Amino acid sequence: MLTLRHQLIPPTANLDTLDPAMDLDIVTKVPRPHRMAAAVSNSFGFGGQNAVLAFTAAD
């Protein structure tokens, strides 16, 4: 929800060095500003305890 409120994508935790062979746009070190209207949070647990939350930005 803070990502939507501040319109910032947080950096990937504990990623110090990115493999140059990977052709992915990964946010590292510092948050990146980006306009977005929705975000999703996935949580997966043992024994099938799974949850997905979808958030949209308030106008």
Side-chain angles (χ1 to χ4, degrees), residues 41-52:
S41 174
N42 298 314
S43 297
F44 303 101
F46 293 108
Q49 302 295 321
N50 306 322
V52 177

Side-chain angles (χ1 to χ4, degrees), residues 33-34 44 56-57:
H34 184 75
F44 303 101
T56 58

Side-chain angles (χ1 to χ4, degrees), residues 2-54:
L2 290 174
T3 295
L4 288 175
R5 174 181 279 176
H6 298 294
Q7 296 293 299
L8 288 172
I9 300 172
T12 301
N14 301 317
L15 178 62
D16 294 323
T17 306
L18 185 60
D19 184 348
M22 292 178 58
D23 188 24
L24 295 174
D25 182 16
I26 298 176
V27 179
T28 60
K29 305 289 185 196
V30 296
R32 181 186 305 165
H34 184 75
R35 293 290 303 159
M36 59 199 106
V40 175
S41 174
N42 298 314
S43 297
F44 303 101
F46 293 108
Q49 302 295 321
N50 306 322
V52 177
L53 301 173

